[in-house]
Amino acid sequence: MTARPAAPARRRSRRDADRKFGIRLFGSVAVAAVAAVLFGLLLVLVESGWAPLRRLDAGAARWLNRAALDHPAWTGTLRFLSDVVWDPVTLRAAVAVLTLWLVHRRAWRLAAWSAVTAVAGGLTGLLVKTVVERARPALPDPVAHAPGFSFPSGHAMAATTSFAILLLVLLPVVRRGFRPLLWAVAAVSVLGVGFTRVALGVHWFSDVLGGWVLGLAVVALTGWSFEAWRADAGLGRTAVAEGLEPELGGDDPEASGPAR
């Protein structure tokens, strides 16, 4: 007789969970949609040569180029950060190591998400560069050179996707007290990458902005796919602050939760 009252409670709990899931799912889709719309708008403005955006790009390029010429030691630091610490090869290597660690931990689906997000980000950026074919800044006294087309910034996009992957995977295994530091390092790095590319004169500001927005769109879409898998598997959605797979700290992450 005591088991009967529990059924309505379970139903209420299920309804509450479904309501929260719907709100969070809508939020994920909204983030992806907003990022995609912003990128599309920015692309149209770049392609049409919108005068205010041209002035912003040219002004930022000239001002930072003068600063770089006046401070060669500072410029050397920017080159080191851009070409070594925050280079896309370095960041993707970090993601590759993380993915191998996830395979070792038997977090197969999270490893697949990490790899697919990194590869999708790289290929998407390359495809858009090829389609847009925007020339890089041509400054009178350049302090650095880079091959290929300019929009969007591959460095900015790689930083956005890579640090998002690192954050969303590692948050569950980091003590809560250290999580703000993790967020701060990621934010400073993503913003720092964009600054170095414009300061070195190899990208327009709008290139960097495009890389950030497109990278965010890729992560939001692949993250939504992973959350959909969690819902289908009966594991439920998680808050962004908890990472994609809170069970990662357990012995067998993808076996945690209700039986599937």
Side-chain angles (χ1 to χ4, degrees):
M1 297 296 293
T2 58
R4 291 182 179 177
R10 285 197 299 270
R11 285 196 294 269
R12 286 195 299 272
S13 177
R14 181 71 60 84
R15 285 196 298 270
D16 289 342
D18 289 344
R19 178 177 57 82
K20 292 177 181 177
F21 169 71
I23 292 172
R24 290 169 180 166
L25 185 63
F26 176 77
S28 297
V29 174
V31 169
V34 169
V37 169
L38 288 175
F39 180 78
L41 176 61
L42 182 60
L43 178 58
V44 169
L45 296 177
V46 167
E47 287 284 75
S48 63
W50 191 47
L53 184 61
R54 282 206 318 270
R55 288 195 294 270
L56 174 63
D57 279 340
R62 286 194 300 268
W63 181 76
L64 288 173
N65 180 243
R66 286 196 299 269
L69 291 171
D70 292 339
H71 303 86
W74 178 62
T75 304
T77 301
L78 294 181
R79 282 203 194 96
F80 175 75
L81 290 172
S82 181
D83 298 341
V84 179
V85 179
W86 292 326
D87 185 76
V89 174
T90 303
L91 298 180
R92 287 168 186 153
V95 171
V97 171
L98 179 72
T99 303
L100 291 175
W101 176 74
L102 290 172
V103 170
H104 174 71
R105 293 281 292 107
R106 294 178 292 177
W108 314 110
R109 293 170 184 82
L110 193 58
W113 172 82
S114 172
V116 167
T117 302
V119 172
L123 292 178
T124 301
L126 183 61
L127 176 63
V128 175
K129 277 179 180 284
T130 304
V131 171
V132 176
E133 294 187 341
R134 188 187 197 187
R136 292 183 183 271
L139 300 170
D141 299 299
V143 297
H145 299 276
F149 297 115
S150 192
F151 183 89
S153 165
H155 277 67
M157 190 168 178
T160 303
T161 54
S162 298
F163 280 102
I165 292 168
L166 293 168
L167 265 178
L168 293 175
V169 169
L170 294 177
L171 280 173
V173 298
V174 174
R175 290 184 179 182
R176 290 185 179 275
F178 290 105
R179 289 181 184 180
L181 177 61
L182 208 63
W183 281 98
V185 169
V188 168
S189 297
V190 171
L191 294 174
V193 167
F195 178 79
T196 62
R197 301 308 284 170
V198 179
L200 291 173
V202 293
H203 275 296
W204 304 107
F205 171 73
S206 54
D207 298 336
V208 169
L209 184 59
W212 286 338
V213 174
L214 189 56
L216 176 62
V218 169
V219 172
L221 288 169
T222 60
W224 174 80
S225 298
F226 188 84
E227 290 292 346
W229 165 76
R230 285 184 59 86
D232 291 341
L235 295 174
R237 283 182 56 84
T238 60
V240 173
E242 299 298 322
L244 279 183
E245 194 163 88
E247 303 86 357
L248 190 60
D251 293 333
D252 192 357
E254 293 181 3
S256 302
R260 300 186 290 282

Coordinates of all heavy atoms in Angstrom, one line a residue, residues 82 90 132 143 188 200 207:
S82 N 50.9 33.9 -30.3 CA 50.1 33.5 -31.5 C 50.6 32.3 -32.2 O 49.8 31.5 -32.6 CB 50.0 34.7 -32.4 OG 49.3 34.4 -33.6
T90 N 48.9 23.7 -31.7 CA 49.0 23.5 -30.3 C 47.7 23.2 -29.6 O 47.6 22.2 -28.8 CB 49.7 24.7 -29.6 OG1 50.9 25.0 -30.2 CG2 49.9 24.5 -28.1
V132 N 34.6 32.7 -49.1 CA 34.6 34.2 -49.0 C 35.8 34.8 -49.7 O 35.7 35.9 -50.4 CB 34.6 34.6 -47.5 CG1 34.7 36.1 -47.4 CG2 33.4 34.1 -46.8
V143 N 54.4 43.7 -39.5 CA 55.3 43.0 -38.5 C 55.2 41.5 -38.5 O 55.9 40.8 -37.8 CB 55.0 43.6 -37.1 CG1 55.3 45.1 -37.0 CG2 53.6 43.3 -36.7
V188 N 40.4 34.6 -21.2 CA 41.6 35.4 -21.5 C 42.3 34.8 -22.8 O 42.7 35.6 -23.6 CB 42.5 35.4 -20.3 CG1 43.9 36.0 -20.7 CG2 41.9 36.2 -19.2
L200 N 49.1 41.9 -34.8 CA 50.2 41.5 -35.7 C 49.9 41.9 -37.2 O 50.7 41.7 -38.0 CB 50.5 40.0 -35.6 CG 51.1 39.5 -34.3 CD1 51.1 38.0 -34.2 CD2 52.5 40.1 -34.1
D207 N 37.4 39.6 -38.9 CA 37.8 38.2 -39.1 C 37.8 37.5 -37.8 O 37.3 36.4 -37.7 CB 39.2 38.2 -39.7 CG 39.4 38.8 -41.0 OD1 38.4 38.9 -41.8 OD2 40.5 39.2 -41.4

